Amino acid sequence: MAFVEFGLNGIFLGAVFGLLALAIAVVWMTTDVVDVATGSYAAAAGMVAVWAGPPWGALLGILAATALSGTMGVIFLIFRRLGATRDTILIVLCTIAYTFVIESALQSVFGTDNRFFPSVPGAFDVAGVFLTFQGVFAFLLAVVLLAGLLAALRWSPAGLLMRASAISAKSASLTGIPVRRVQFVVFLLGGAIAGVAGVLASMSIGVSYSSGFALSIVAFSGAVVLGRVTVSLAFTGGLLIGLAIALGQAYLPQGWDAATAPILIVAVLCSGLVSRDMFHGARP
Amino acid sequence: MTRSVRLSRISPVLIILGIAITLAIAGEVRPSIYATSVTIGFFSLLALPLGLLYGQGGAISLAQGGFAAVGAFTTAILTVKFGWSPFASLVVSVGLPAILAFVIARPLLRLPELSLALVTISLVMIFKVVFERAERLTGGYNGITGIAPLPIIGVERSYAHWTVWTAVLIVAYCYASYVESGRGRALNAIRVDRLLAESTGTNVALELSSLFSLSAGIAGFAGWFYAHYIGFMAPDSLDPTLSANILFMVVLGGRKSVLGPIVGASLFTLASDLLPGTVTQGMIFGSLLIVILVFFPDGIVSPGMMRWTRRRATTIPEAKNTPGVRLERA
Amino acid sequence: MTLSARDLSVRFGGLQALAEVSLEVTPGRILGLIGPNGAGKTTLFNCLTGVIQPKGTVVVDGVEITQLRTDERVRRGISRTFQTPRLDMNRTVLDAVMLGYTPHLAQGRLACFLGLPSVGRSEEHLRNGAIEKIRLLGLGGAAEDRAGSLSLGQLRLLEVARALVAGPRYLLLDEPAAGLDESDRIRLADAIKNAAASGIGIVLIEHNVGFVSRLSHELLALVNGTVVARGEPNSVVCSEKVVEAYLGPAYVH
Ligand SMILES: Nc1ncnc2c1ncn2[C@@H]1O[C@H](COP(=O)(O)OP(=O)(O)OP(=O)(O)O)[C@@H](O)[C@H]1O
Ligand SMILES: [Mg+2]
């Protein structure tokens, strides 16, 4: 029973990571950039949400995250405008530097405490398994978002443009698709999704100014853990990471669960499970 | 021609010597400058071998700070808990990260750049968890205090300055010599095109693993020095942020030249000394980094200053028995 | 004393790029390799040099090397050029050619790090050797130029020079004459003949049938990954299947 309980709570926690992994994956697939600052957008969303308080704080937080990722999108566009063939790794370094910027800004505005947004109250138990409404809410919200995103990608004209740009930015631009604009929109989209994840995180595990980087690493491990990088696999991977971390917290000696995500990243990337094509942008 | 080769190898070393002497003179006038100069030297020691590995060989690493931490903890544990002399522990502080790096290098260095960056930063995070959790050895979050200063060197700040800068000079000299040699040419080929390097007889895996291991060893030495200089070592002392910063120093300073990493280390240290406030520093600093990465991606000491783009004065006469007329010559 | 490949087969997904191709080169001989675009000529070179792993065996001087890495094969004396030149366009021509010396560097890593005088001396020595080869191929005037400033044809000559300085026993040339003007072509032919005369076994891929049949001792024609003719150059060139592959069935009489 305890195992099932840890497991389910892990998957509910994983909903947050799943959304973040999704945010990283969409940006990665369309722009070749792994946005290391994604976790920081989430942290910012959570901090702003807590600061503004319920109910509108949540929306404000998501907007803040979107604005931050939009700024990264602008930086990306300038970078590409200045040299189309430049090494993508430099932009990834920019996102790391951007993480420093956001961390420092959050710290100077909100201080160093771990902060919480009021969670959905209450809990229930099914056959001896004790679950919170907050967990169920986070999970359902994440699944609805995922379904919405998948539907949009599948059927909306904007989704078609995104998919085309993701397959090959070059041929998409040759067919007249405004690839750069699409990429910018994808940055906004990633930021918004990360924002939702951040607000959800602030309702359960809490967020602090320095959560961002660790969140990004966890989310990235979710995005790659299933080998192929797609929207739904990234989300599923995030759920699995949540599960792994929860079980690690329960059964490993205290503190070792923090190594779960980085170990998975090393193992998955070194095993060559993830196609080299995903990284090809970084090696012209 | 021999002379020009020698000069191009010696001149960066002379410039670095000049920097070291200038800093020493300034340090004699205002002792606090020694603290800055030792920090610059420490960062340079971490950044220089990464410059060789990344700037010449094209293999990025975000693990330099992690390897330095391994070296620092090694000597802290051996000297404080087991009563070793610092010079005995030096061997392990250098050897352990070097061997560790060599062992893990093979699967890593096959990876594309972006993938390699993410894997190495994950490694550093794993190191950190290990340092935090192996409490019996490392003292957990609190770390290890009371690491004895190095004999002789630990007494005077100027000695510390000269120790670390001598190491920088040696590493810079070796870097420059290597790049000048035939093996440097092979290393450059690895960055440009791995298939080319293999097809001209370079064992790419061995070459990169050796350099990866070497840079880890040098980082271990820097960590050893750091632990004895500061006297205290905790998981947060040399954290993943440092690893990222070391890479930034290399990229900003100029990853393709010997001087680049040192220029990067200097700017970095000066910036963090001069910028106001510790909390808001990240904002100013991060923004500066972004601006430089976007607008000057080759860094400050850019490849325009590199040796081989300069045309040498000597020209080689065309072979005598040239049949026909040459029409094209760009 | 041969470089021989037996029954090499390669598939790329649904495409049979090579089907049981065998060949043999002995020192001093020139084997011409012809075939239309996509016939599998470059793929064959990739198998011989270990860039891709085929079914079948590759044996050099009695030692099987099928499992060896590319760089190990270079050390065993197999050098190649690339159809699309591969080099660092920002370095000088001389530097690019000297890269070919890599298997023969006398000094170890440590000596290079220490910058011992012996490293400088042997560099000087290698430089002179490289200049000689560069002149031989008519690039002497460009030795100090940026490699990026050369024309495509000249880059192919540069590749030949780089392969030659490695001192190979077997030399694989992938369309070295494409895009060369007449004088360069003559110079290249001389260089190839001299190399063969000095005991190097050469495999030469070339589309210009006249050029290659004049130069080669033996010709091998590849179509869709299969050998359709081999032997005496003139008989191969006139063989029905080769004519059909190059000119279409209408020309077969
Ligand atoms: N790495 C690869 N993956 C998939 N297909 C490949 C690969 N390399 C070559 N091919 C295919 O194998 C076939 C043979 O290619 P190859 O390059 O050997 O031809 P070639 O005879 O050298 O032609 P050309 O005269 O144009 O140089 C071609 O159809 C090519 O598209
Ligand atoms: Mg070909």
Side-chain angles (χ1 to χ4, degrees):
Chain A
M1 271 310 109
F3 182 81
V4 177
E5 190 171 309
F6 289 134
L8 280 176
N9 283 317
I11 288 180
F12 292 163
L13 172 68
V16 173
F17 302 147
L19 286 180
L20 278 175
L22 187 86
I24 287 188
V26 284
V27 173
W28 189 10
M29 287 186 296
T30 3
T31 64
D32 289 333
V33 174
V34 172
D35 188 348
V36 180
T38 308
S40 302
Y41 309 149
M47 302 289 277
V48 169
V50 175
W51 168 76
W56 297 110
L59 191 61
L60 206 59
I62 295 167
L63 284 178
T66 314
L68 286 174
S69 70
T71 312
M72 190 64 230
V74 171
I75 296 171
F76 171 80
L77 291 185
I78 297 174
F79 181 82
R80 277 281 168 256
R81 172 69 49 89
L82 290 176
T85 59
R86 275 187 192 170
D87 221 347
T88 308
I89 194 78
L90 293 171
I91 263 286
V92 177
L93 295 184
C94 275
T95 67
I96 296 179
Y98 197 40
T99 308
F100 296 166
V101 174
I102 298 176
E103 269 191 14
S104 146
L106 290 179
Q107 190 185 2
S108 44
V109 178
F110 300 114
T112 55
D113 294 338
N114 197 30
R115 286 160 185 271
F116 292 89
F117 194 76
S119 56
V120 179
F124 60 102
D125 89 73
V126 191
V129 178
F130 188 76
L131 301 171
T132 59
F133 279 119
Q134 170 62 37
V136 177
F137 168 72
F139 183 74
L140 291 179
L141 181 63
V143 171
V144 168
L145 269 180
L146 171 69
L149 182 68
L150 285 176
L153 281 178
R154 186 93 184 71
W155 287 300
S156 79
L160 183 67
L161 297 187
M162 268 178 218
R163 279 186 292 143
S165 311
I167 292 167
S168 164
K170 206 176 192 176
S171 28
S173 68
L174 287 177
T175 54
I177 295 175
V179 172
R180 297 289 179 234
R181 213 177 308 159
V182 173
Q183 288 173 330
F184 178 70
V185 171
V186 167
F187 267 102
L188 292 179
L189 180 69
I193 298 172
V196 176
V199 174
L200 287 177
S202 72
M203 295 168 88
S204 54
I205 49 178
V207 287
S208 78
Y209 79 100
S210 63
S211 308
F213 185 68
L215 281 177
S216 290
I217 290 292
V218 172
F220 180 74
S221 74
V224 296
V225 72
L226 292 175
R228 237 153 37 84
V229 183
T230 69
V231 168
S232 34
L233 285 182
F235 181 78
T236 318
L239 294 185
L240 292 178
I241 297 296
L243 178 66
I245 288 178
L247 294 179
Q249 274 167 350
Y251 296 105
L252 287 177
Q254 206 226 329
W256 285 98
D257 60 282
T260 314
I263 287 178
L264 277 174
I265 294 177
V266 174
V268 171
L269 294 190
C270 285
S271 70
L273 215 55
V274 180
S275 150
R276 293 181 78 89
D277 293 348
M278 279 311 289
F279 299 101
H280 98 126
R283 209 177 248 294
Chain B
M1 219 173 287
T2 319
R3 174 171 301 154
S4 89
V5 168
R6 289 244 170 81
L7 267 183
S8 71
R9 170 145 46 95
I10 296 299
S11 58
V13 177
L14 289 179
I15 294 174
I16 297 166
L17 185 63
I19 297 175
I21 292 174
T22 313
L23 286 171
I25 293 170
E28 290 303 326
V29 179
R30 263 186 54 194
S32 69
I33 289 179
Y34 270 133
T36 309
S37 81
V38 172
T39 314
I40 296 176
F42 171 68
F43 286 155
S44 301
L45 263 186
L46 294 175
L48 262 176
L50 181 58
L52 182 60
L53 183 67
Y54 178 46
Q56 307 299 326
I60 206 166
S61 165
L62 278 157
Q64 276 302 81
F67 288 124
V70 172
F73 264 116
T74 304
T75 192
I77 292 166
L78 290 178
T79 55
V80 175
K81 308 239 155 160
F82 296 95
W84 286 37
S85 113
F87 296 107
S89 71
L90 172 62
V91 179
V92 189
S93 280
V94 173
L96 186 64
I99 293 171
L100 189 63
F102 193 78
V103 171
I104 59 179
R106 296 268 161 151
L108 292 195
L109 296 168
R110 279 203 314 263
L111 300 174
E113 211 171 35
L114 172 57
S115 177
L116 186 56
L118 291 157
V119 166
T120 46
I121 203 153
S122 301
L123 277 177
V124 179
M125 297 184 75
I126 297 171
F127 288 171
K128 194 175 174 211
V129 174
V130 172
F131 296 145
E132 281 168 1
R133 303 324 311 178
E135 276 169 34
R136 282 229 226 99
L137 279 176
T138 62
Y141 292 102
N142 298 327
I144 297 175
T145 50
I147 306 167
L150 296 171
I152 312 168
I153 299 161
V155 187
E156 275 253 18
R157 275 176 155 180
S158 64
Y159 292 166
H161 166 92
W162 281 113
T163 308
V164 72
W165 278 96
T166 307
V168 172
L169 278 168
I170 293 172
V171 175
Y173 171 78
C174 291
Y175 177 156
S177 308
Y178 199 72
V179 173
E180 290 279 322
S181 76
R183 291 190 188 277
R185 217 162 29 229
L187 183 62
N188 178 69
I190 295 177
R191 185 189 77 233
V192 173
D193 180 350
R194 283 196 189 194
L195 178 55
L196 165 65
E198 284 167 1
S199 301
T200 47
T202 304
N203 184 344
V204 173
L206 180 64
E207 185 74 27
L208 289 184
S209 316
S210 315
L211 284 182
F212 190 57
S213 168
L214 181 78
S215 43
I218 295 171
F221 171 81
W224 171 85
F225 175 83
Y226 174 91
H228 290 286
Y229 180 69
I230 305 283
F232 162 74
M233 182 64 205
D236 280 336
S237 309
L238 302 171
D239 65 351
T241 313
L242 174 68
S243 289
N245 283 340
I246 298 295
L247 181 60
F248 283 136
M249 292 173 204
V250 174
V251 175
L252 297 189
R255 70 199 122 136
K256 290 174 184 169
S257 75
V258 186
L259 285 177
I262 295 169
V263 170
S266 311
L267 288 181
F268 224 84
T269 313
L270 292 180
S272 55
D273 276 5
L274 300 180
L275 287 181
T278 46
V279 178
T280 50
Q281 215 174 59
M283 272 189 275
I284 304 171
F285 203 56
S287 313
L288 273 176
L289 279 178
I290 293 175
V291 168
I292 298 182
L293 281 168
V294 170
F295 292 100
F296 309 98
D298 278 334
I300 294 161
V301 190
S302 66
M305 298 173 77
M306 285 181 91
R307 174 183 58 86
W308 52 75
T309 50
R310 252 183 266 146
R311 282 196 54 169
R312 295 203 194 90
T314 42
T315 45
I316 296 135
E318 195 76 22
K320 285 273 152 39
N321 55 347
T322 312
V325 196
R326 300 197 50 83
L327 293 178
E328 43 178 311
R329 165 115 305 149
Chain C
M1 290 292 279
T2 49
L3 167 65
S4 66
R6 240 168 281 136
D7 300 331
L8 299 183
S9 300
V10 174
R11 289 195 76 89
F12 294 118
L15 177 89
Q16 186 81 44
L18 286 181
E20 312 211 324
V21 174
S22 302
L23 64 79
E24 197 157 293
V25 211
T26 43
R29 307 267 298 171
I30 302 174
L31 170 66
L33 190 54
I34 59 170
N37 292 122
K41 305 179 296 292
T42 301
T43 306
L44 185 56
F45 273 15
N46 286 340
C47 294
L48 294 175
T49 53
V51 175
I52 51 181
Q53 281 294 335
K55 277 211 212 81
T57 52
V58 181
V59 177
V60 63
D61 299 344
V63 186
E64 180 171 345
I65 56 164
T66 321
Q67 301 304 324
L68 295 190
R69 289 189 315 267
T70 303
D71 59 281
E72 291 170 322
R73 297 185 193 205
V74 177
R75 276 161 211 282
R76 281 173 189 269
I78 303 178
S79 281
R80 75 176 291 181
T81 67
F82 292 97
Q83 186 173 355
T84 1
R86 305 183 86 113
L87 68 165
D88 185 350
M89 296 294 184
N90 290 320
R91 304 194 75 158
T92 63
V93 171
L94 185 56
D95 255 332
V97 171
M98 284 175 74
L99 182 62
Y101 281 120
T102 309
H104 304 294
L105 293 177
Q107 280 78 24
R109 285 191 180 74
L110 188 62
C112 293
F113 273 119
L114 297 180
L116 299 182
S118 64
V119 177
R121 276 198 302 275
S122 66
E123 276 288 289
E124 195 71 10
H125 182 71
L126 299 182
R127 186 189 309 274
N128 293 335
I131 288 175
E132 192 183 308
K133 288 287 186 295
I134 291 174
R135 271 195 206 150
L136 196 71
L137 288 159
L139 293 172
E144 300 290 338
D145 291 352
R146 235 170 51 91
S149 68
L150 298 189
S151 71
L152 191 59
Q154 291 173 317
L155 288 176
R156 291 216 173 86
L157 293 175
L158 186 158
E159 290 244 332
V160 176
R162 185 176 67 204
L164 279 174
V165 295
R169 278 180 297 161
Y170 300 99
L171 182 58
L172 314 179
L173 302 172
D174 200 342
E175 301 191 18
L180 293 191
D181 60 28
E182 196 49 37
S183 67
D184 278 342
R185 196 178 281 259
I186 292 168
R187 209 183 334 244
L188 175 69
D190 285 344
I192 294 176
K193 272 188 229 149
N194 287 339
S198 73
I200 302 177
I202 296 173
V203 186
L204 171 65
I205 297 179
E206 179 53 52
H207 279 299
N208 182 330
V209 173
F211 182 78
V212 69
S213 48
R214 249 174 284 133
L215 216 52
S216 316
H217 301 107
E218 193 191 346
L219 221 53
L220 192 151
L222 212 55
V223 177
N224 290 331
T226 20
V227 180
V228 294
R230 71 168 85 210
E232 235 274 307
N234 287 328
S235 67
V236 169
V237 169
C238 301
S239 88
E240 224 167 72
K241 286 194 170 140
V242 172
V243 175
E244 179 179 338
Y246 268 95
L247 300 172
Y251 288 83
V252 184
H253 40 96

